[in-house]
Structures are given as C-alpha cells and as structure tokens.
Amino acid sequence: AIGPVVQYRPQLPEVKVKKVKDTGAEWARLVTAVQSARLEIQLLHKQAVVQVGAGEAAIFEAHLLFLDDPDVLEAAKTHIESERINAEAAWQQTILATANRYRALEDAYMRARAADVEDVGQRVLGQLMDLERPSLNFRRPSILIAADLTPSDTARLDPKKVLGICTELGGATSHSAILARALGIPAIVGLGKQLETLAEGQTIAINGQQGRLWISPDDAQLTNLAEQRIAWLTEQRRVKTVAQQRAITKDKKYIEIAANIGGPNDAAIALEYGAEGVGLFRTEFLFMGRAEAPTEDEQVAAYVQAAKALGDKPVIIRTLDVGGDKPLPYIDQGKEENPFLGWRGIRFCLDETAVFKPQLRAILRASHQHKIKIMFPMVGALSELLAAKALVAEVKAELKKEKVAFDPNIQVGIMIEVPSAVAIADQLAKEADFFSIGTNDLTQYVMAADRGNARVAGLAQAFQPAVLRMIKLTVDAGHAANIWVGMCGELAGNPLATAMLVGLGLDELSMSAPAIPAVKAAVREITGYDAQRLAEQALQMASAEAVINLLQAHQ
C-alpha cells in the first residue's frame, strides 16, 4: 500500500475517582452501560460476519462472553460498594487488573487477549462517559496509523478508504490483525512508538507480506512498490472477475451462489464478489442498538436500497430473529435459563405482532417492482408457519385496501434449523415456497452441543454425519414437493464441503461475500455424479473427522 498518513488516536478523558453516596445508583449505571455495550458488540458481530465470515467474527462473541463474566462484574460491584466510588473508576480498576493478568501469561496468544479486554472496557467506559469514538470515514484513501486498533475499530473500517494499517502495538495473533487480513487490508502491527513521529498526510509505503515500512520512499522505491501493488490488485480483480461467472459443474448442473448480508450497504460488496442474489438478509441490524423499534418507512428504505443494488437478482429477507440471547432494549424479554431453547425467532414474532406486522408491511411494500422474498427463522411446527402466513395474508389485505402496491405473488420460505422442522419437512414443504438450511443452529440442536462451549466443540461441527443426514432428509422432502432447497449456514461457505453439498442435492448456497469465489471454483471442478457418490460416502462415515478426511482426500 502507498498513500498518505492518517493518525488515529482516540482518547477517553482521564477517569477520576469520585466518592459517591448512592452506590446502588452507580451499580445501576454500570449495568446499563454494560447492556448498551453488549448491543453495540452484537451489531459489530453481525457486520463482521457479513464482511469476513463467522470464523473471524467470533472475536466479538468472545467480547460478549467477557461482558457476561460474573467475576468481572462482581469485582466492579465490590469496588463500588466497598470503596464507595463512581462506576467509571470501579470499572477501570477492574479492567486494568484483568488486562494485566493476561499480559503476565506466557502464551503469546493469551497475552494478546489483553487488548480485547481493554477494547471491551473502553466501550463500557465510553457508554458511562457518553462519548463516541472518532470517525474512520476518511476523505481520501489513506494508510491508518494508530497506537493499536481494537477489533471494534477494525470492523468499522471501509476497505475502499483504508489502503493499509500500521500499529505500534499488537502481534500477528491480535484480533485486529486477524480482521485486517480477512478484509484484505495490508497491515503491519507491533512497530513501536516511532509511528507517532509520522506527519499527518505524509506519503508512506508498506508491504504487509514482508512486514516492511518505508517512511520516505524515493522515486525508484515508489515505482517498484507501485508495480507490486498493481500485480497484487490485478490478482484480486482476476479472482473477482472469475467469480462473476456462474457456478456450473462439469456436467452442466447449475448451483446458485448467493451472499448473506447484514445491511443494505453490504449488497454492493456481495456483487463485487460474484453473488447471484442475497440468500439471507439479516434484519436485526435495524432493530438492535436503539431505544425503540424502527419505523415501517425506515425498514422500507433499507430493503429497497438492498433490492435496488441487486437489480434483477433475488433478495431473501429474513424476518426479525431476536429473543433470548439477542435482546431488544424496548421489549421486556425477561431472563431465560436457556435462551437458545427459548423465546426467539418466529416464536417471538408471533407473540410480538406490534413489531412483526410493521416488518411484514415493510417487506411487502419494498417487494413492489423488486425481486424480494420472505423467510421466517426457527420454524419448528407447522402451526407456526401457518400462523405466520396468515399474518402475511392479513397484511396483504390491509395494503390492498389502502391501495399500496406490493408483489402479490411474493415467495414465502422458512429456515430449517430446528430438528423438529426436519421431521415434518414433508408437511412444511406443502406450505413453503422454499427451504434454507441454517447449519449453525441446526448443528447445535441436532448434536445437543452448545457451539460456544469449547468442551463440546468436537460435537458442534456441521460435518457430523447426523447433521449431514438431516440436510439430506430436508433436501429430499423439499424436492418431493417441487420446492428448491438452499443453505445459508456457515457450512455453505466452506469450499471443502462444496462437492458434498452439491451431491446432497442443494440448489443454492449462500455465504459471506469473500467466500464466494472459492466456492464457485469448487463447483466448477466437480461432476454431479462424483459429488453424489462423495455425499453418499460421507453419510456413511462414523465421525465428523472421518468426513473431513474423506473430503480432503477428494480435493
């Protein structure tokens, strides 16, 4: 990367220790700040999933776990009550102590987690002090210089405006470095305090692969580096150009490859990587991190923006998938012992029609002259699908009466992510226009293994033969009813699984945009017959490891 320097050095004001009379009020302030920070991180997580995939975005899941750590919260509460001090000071003391414990560890990866602890801590302090971090939306493409970048900062970067990144602190295993790699931004971390001396606007050059920085490149160096950059960009463009071609097997079977997006701005990125539509538009970003539900018009604007960007390509909008582990501040959802088995997805929406109906109205309004489809999450019973469809019919009647245009033939599909849905897939297929398999949740429910629990991580793999058999049952039931079956879970974006998924009979695969080129390439390398034989072998394997070994041997 070659470009002008932008120094990014956000500073929170000094935290002052103040004596307080009402310790209960200070604790309440801290709890509120932690909750607000949690909502922000949830939004960042969804954005990162779209930009870089669920694997890299898991950074933010770790941040959420830290915020939920009872020991951390209890330590801060103890500071407030025993020392009778303000929430800001108590929280900062707790964060510093926790980060220092990480820094004292021998393992380099664990030492790097201190930056994550501080990131979360700063976010909560920002809420307590009512401060916003500076914008990262530069006037012109630049090289970002910082003491360190938090994962939150990195997730906010626009790859079109950030040519490269240099930080004083951090290492190759720091989460900001991982995210920068996933975004395709050249980065060098851990360069030391001398970066402070770089003047705003001065031209520098970096080579992220070699870890080299030129602070005053001469003409010859600039020419050489520019040639290297052109070669690198040319290869990037070649990959994206090839990805614009359809994914067709050697024996001419077409597999639709779509993108999962978390907001309307992601549609353009999806197209750039070769998406042939949007297989999953997560709508939670509109509803979370705010004090009240979005208006119907706000939602229409977002859905239309995405649909316009996609042109004549389809956009599948998943209705609100919150509840339990994804709280809304303006709905009292109560506390649940096991939120993954609780009041979420379509269950929540059917109860909260004051939130659900405006969303259905917005989707239908946006469908006028656009290729939009509706998809309901976490359907586990036929009665749920029938109730949701009845609401769609009710909203259609209202709009018709109001003389508001919409697509009267809009397709309505469901996510298959609950084992009960697989068991009654033949019934559901008679009422749905399509199925989309969500392998992330389906895996944890089929295997009874929490995907966030490291002790059962081996079980919580979508390569488990039991999960693969559920996928096959779903595909067969859908095809028997003449509806198409797609997949929008993490497995869809793994090129190792592509041949097997084609062999299982999937018609569409939807994934994070950067995964599209590799998956399309994998489709082009196989025949339908070979894929089917591979899938049949995978279904007979004894473990996820055996399936993975089989697929690796096939590559």
Side-chain angles (χ1 to χ4, degrees), residues 94-144:
T94 304
I95 293 302
L96 286 175
T98 306
N100 287 338
R101 282 198 295 274
Y102 276 102
R103 287 198 180 92
L105 298 173
E106 289 185 13
D107 183 80
Y109 180 84
M110 293 306 292
R111 283 201 306 274
R113 301 290 69 77
D116 297 305
V117 171
E118 289 174 338
D119 181 8
V120 178
Q122 291 285 304
R123 183 170 295 284
V124 174
L125 277 178
Q127 292 290 338
L128 283 168
M129 303 170 90
D130 199 23
L131 293 172
E132 290 185 11
R133 295 181 80 80
S135 169
L136 282 163
N137 188 18
F138 309 142
R139 279 189 308 106
R140 56 178 176 162
S142 305
I143 295 177
L144 178 63

Side-chain angles (χ1 to χ4, degrees), residues 191-423:
L191 279 170
K193 294 290 285 181
Q194 64 265 36
L195 288 181
E196 270 186 330
T197 62
L198 296 177
E200 192 86 10
Q202 87 174 76
T203 297
I204 62 170
I206 67 170
N207 183 321
Q209 288 178 321
Q210 297 174 356
R212 295 186 65 190
L213 163 66
W214 291 263
I215 58 172
S216 300
D218 59 31
D219 290 344
Q221 287 171 329
L222 283 172
T223 300
N224 178 259
L225 290 165
E227 287 171 356
Q228 289 182 39
R229 177 167 173 78
I230 288 167
W232 176 63
L233 290 173
T234 300
E235 175 59 16
Q236 296 288 307
R237 279 195 292 271
R238 186 195 68 79
V239 167
K240 289 179 181 178
T241 299
V242 173
Q244 298 302 316
Q245 300 165 19
R246 284 154 61 103
I248 300 173
T249 65
K250 288 180 177 179
D251 53 351
K252 308 303 179 190
K253 179 177 170 61
Y254 167 62
I255 306 295
E256 184 177 333
I257 307 296
N260 299 337
I261 68 172
N265 294 331
D266 301 323
I269 297 171
L271 287 174
E272 196 178 308
Y273 279 99
E276 292 155 12
V278 167
L280 170 62
F281 183 157
R282 300 180 180 92
T283 57
E284 292 75 50
F285 83 100
L286 283 165
F287 290 82
M288 298 177 74
R290 53 190 296 161
E292 57 189 18
T295 65
E296 188 178 314
D297 286 344
E298 273 184 85
Q299 294 185 63
V300 172
Y303 305 150
V304 168
Q305 183 184 338
K308 279 186 175 175
L310 269 294
D312 61 352
K313 295 178 173 65
V315 178
I316 299 176
I317 299 177
R318 183 179 70 187
T319 57
L320 185 60
D321 187 14
V322 295
D325 62 322
K326 291 183 276 188
L328 294 177
Y330 44 87
I331 300 281
D332 182 9
Q333 292 161 255
K335 183 167 174 56
E336 296 184 299
E337 288 301 318
N338 194 335
F340 284 107
L341 301 181
W343 192 49
R344 57 184 298 220
I346 198 66
R347 305 166 181 180
F348 170 89
C349 288
L350 289 173
D351 286 344
E352 293 292 331
T353 53
V355 174
F356 192 33
K357 276 188 70 175
Q359 182 175 38
L360 292 177
R361 284 178 59 92
I363 295 171
L364 281 163
R365 284 173 56 191
S367 72
H368 178 56
Q369 296 184 334
H370 296 115
K371 224 172 174 182
I372 285 175
K373 304 174 186 180
I374 300 173
M375 182 163 68
F376 300 126
M378 208 180 174
V379 172
L382 181 59
S383 57
E384 291 172 336
L385 175 55
L386 293 174
K389 285 182 69 178
L391 273 174
V392 172
E394 188 181 311
V395 168
K396 281 183 176 180
E398 288 175 5
L399 292 173
K400 198 170 180 181
K401 193 174 180 181
E402 295 165 20
K403 293 185 169 49
V404 175
F406 62 91
D407 176 6
N409 301 312
I410 190 169
Q411 287 195 0
V412 176
I414 63 169
M415 295 272 292
I416 300 288
E417 49 193 340
V418 181
S420 62
V422 180

Side-chain angles (χ1 to χ4, degrees), residues 176-188:
S176 52
I178 292 168
L179 281 174
R181 280 196 293 273
L183 286 168
I185 299 173
I188 312 175

Side-chain angles (χ1 to χ4, degrees), residues 30-198:
L30 180 56
V31 168
T32 301
V34 167
Q35 174 69 352
S36 298
R38 184 181 290 110
L39 291 172
E40 280 189 358
I41 293 169
Q42 286 169 341
L43 283 172
L44 282 165
H45 176 252
K46 290 183 183 304
Q47 179 184 337
V49 164
V50 172
Q51 285 189 312
V52 300
E56 311 295 8
I59 292 162
F60 296 107
E61 291 180 356
H63 284 199
L64 290 170
L65 288 173
F66 175 75
L67 275 186
D68 290 331
D69 186 339
D71 291 339
V72 172
L73 294 171
E74 193 57 39
K77 188 177 185 182
T78 300
H79 281 305
I80 291 172
E81 293 178 344
S82 63
E83 300 168 39
R84 305 192 70 80
I85 58 174
N86 54 321
E88 292 89 340
W91 180 252
Q92 187 180 54
Q93 288 177 25
T94 304
I95 293 302
L96 286 175
T98 306
N100 287 338
R101 282 198 295 274
Y102 276 102
R103 287 198 180 92
L105 298 173
E106 289 185 13
D107 183 80
Y109 180 84
M110 293 306 292
R111 283 201 306 274
R113 301 290 69 77
D116 297 305
V117 171
E118 289 174 338
D119 181 8
V120 178
Q122 291 285 304
R123 183 170 295 284
V124 174
L125 277 178
Q127 292 290 338
L128 283 168
M129 303 170 90
D130 199 23
L131 293 172
E132 290 185 11
R133 295 181 80 80
S135 169
L136 282 163
N137 188 18
F138 309 142
R139 279 189 308 106
R140 56 178 176 162
S142 305
I143 295 177
L144 178 63
I145 307 296
D148 199 5
L149 280 180
T150 68
S152 309
D153 290 330
T154 315
R156 291 193 294 134
L157 298 180
D158 179 354
K160 291 186 176 68
K161 291 289 182 70
V162 181
L163 299 172
I165 298 169
C166 293
T167 65
E168 295 174 13
L169 306 173
T173 57
S174 69
H175 283 152
S176 52
I178 292 168
L179 281 174
R181 280 196 293 273
L183 286 168
I185 299 173
I188 312 175
V189 297
L191 279 170
K193 294 290 285 181
Q194 64 265 36
L195 288 181
E196 270 186 330
T197 62
L198 296 177

Side-chain angles (χ1 to χ4, degrees), residues 13-27:
E14 181 187 350
V15 176
K16 295 180 179 176
V17 180
K18 299 177 185 174
K19 291 292 181 181
V20 298
K21 292 181 180 178
D22 189 347
T23 56
E26 290 303 300
W27 171 241

